Coordinates of all heavy atoms in Angstrom, one line a residue:
V172 N 1.0 6.3 -9.8 CA 0.3 6.6 -8.6 C -0.8 5.7 -8.4 O -1.7 5.6 -9.3 CB -0.1 8.1 -8.5 CG1 -0.8 8.4 -7.2 CG2 1.0 9.1 -8.8
S173 N -0.9 5.1 -7.2 CA -1.9 4.0 -7.0 C -3.4 4.5 -7.4 O -4.1 3.8 -8.1 CB -1.9 3.5 -5.6 OG -2.2 4.5 -4.7
I174 N -3.8 5.7 -6.9 CA -5.1 6.1 -7.1 C -5.5 6.2 -8.6 O -6.6 6.0 -9.0 CB -5.5 7.4 -6.3 CG1 -7.0 7.6 -6.3 CG2 -4.7 8.5 -6.8 CD1 -7.4 8.7 -5.4
C175 N -4.5 6.6 -9.4 CA -4.7 6.7 -10.8 C -4.9 5.4 -11.5 O -5.5 5.3 -12.5 CB -3.6 7.5 -11.5 SG -3.6 9.3 -11.2
N176 N -4.4 4.3 -10.8 CA -4.6 3.0 -11.4 C -6.0 2.5 -11.3 O -6.4 1.6 -12.0 CB -3.7 2.0 -10.6 CG -2.2 2.1 -10.8 OD1 -1.4 1.7 -10.0 ND2 -1.8 2.7 -12.0
Y177 N -6.8 3.2 -10.5 CA -8.2 2.8 -10.5 C -9.2 4.0 -10.6 O -10.4 3.9 -10.3 CB -8.6 2.0 -9.2 CG -8.1 2.6 -7.9 CD1 -9.0 3.4 -7.2 CD2 -6.9 2.2 -7.3 CE1 -8.6 4.0 -6.0 CE2 -6.5 2.8 -6.1 CZ -7.3 3.6 -5.4 OH -6.9 4.2 -4.2
W178 N -8.6 5.1 -11.1 CA -9.4 6.3 -11.3 C -10.3 6.0 -12.6 O -9.7 5.6 -13.6 CB -8.5 7.5 -11.6 CG -9.3 8.8 -11.8 CD1 -9.6 9.5 -12.9 CD2 -10.0 9.5 -10.7 NE1 -10.4 10.6 -12.7 CE2 -10.6 10.6 -11.3 CE3 -10.1 9.3 -9.3 CZ2 -11.4 11.6 -10.6 CZ3 -10.9 10.3 -8.6 CH2 -11.5 11.4 -9.2
N179 N -11.6 6.1 -12.4 CA -12.5 5.6 -13.5 C -13.4 6.8 -13.9 O -14.5 7.0 -13.2 CB -13.3 4.4 -13.0 CG -14.1 3.8 -14.1 OD1 -14.2 4.3 -15.2 ND2 -14.8 2.7 -13.8
D180 N -13.0 7.6 -14.8 CA -13.8 8.8 -15.3 C -14.9 8.3 -16.2 O -14.6 7.9 -17.4 CB -12.8 9.8 -15.9 CG -13.5 11.1 -16.2 OD1 -14.7 11.1 -16.5 OD2 -12.8 12.2 -16.2
P181 N -16.1 8.4 -15.8 CA -17.2 7.9 -16.7 C -17.4 8.8 -18.0 O -18.1 8.3 -18.9 CB -18.4 8.0 -15.8 CG -18.1 9.1 -14.8 CD -16.6 9.0 -14.6
H182 N -16.8 10.0 -18.0 CA -16.9 10.9 -19.1 C -15.8 10.6 -20.1 O -15.8 11.2 -21.2 CB -17.0 12.3 -18.7 CG -18.0 12.6 -17.6 ND1 -19.4 12.6 -17.9 CD2 -17.9 12.9 -16.3 CE1 -20.0 12.8 -16.8 NE2 -19.2 13.0 -15.8
H183 N -14.8 9.8 -19.8 CA -13.7 9.5 -20.6 C -13.4 8.0 -20.6 O -12.3 7.6 -20.3 CB -12.5 10.3 -20.3 CG -12.7 11.8 -20.4 ND1 -13.1 12.6 -19.4 CD2 -12.5 12.6 -21.5 CE1 -13.3 13.8 -19.8 NE2 -12.9 13.9 -21.0
R184 N -14.5 7.3 -20.9 CA -14.4 5.8 -20.8 C -13.3 5.2 -21.6 O -12.6 4.3 -21.2 CB -15.8 5.3 -21.2 CG -15.9 3.8 -21.1 CD -16.0 3.3 -19.7 NE -16.1 1.9 -19.6 CZ -15.9 1.2 -18.5 NH1 -15.7 1.8 -17.4 NH2 -16.0 -0.1 -18.5
D185 N -13.2 5.7 -22.8 CA -12.2 5.1 -23.7 C -10.8 5.3 -23.2 O -9.9 4.4 -23.2 CB -12.3 5.6 -25.1 CG -13.5 5.2 -25.9 OD1 -14.1 4.2 -25.4 OD2 -13.9 5.8 -26.9

Side-chain angles (χ1 to χ4, degrees):
V172 181
S173 64
I174 191 172
C175 286
N176 291 155
Y177 51 89
W178 186 255
N179 188 354
D180 188 327
H182 307 291
H183 298 90
R184 180 74 182 167
D185 289 344

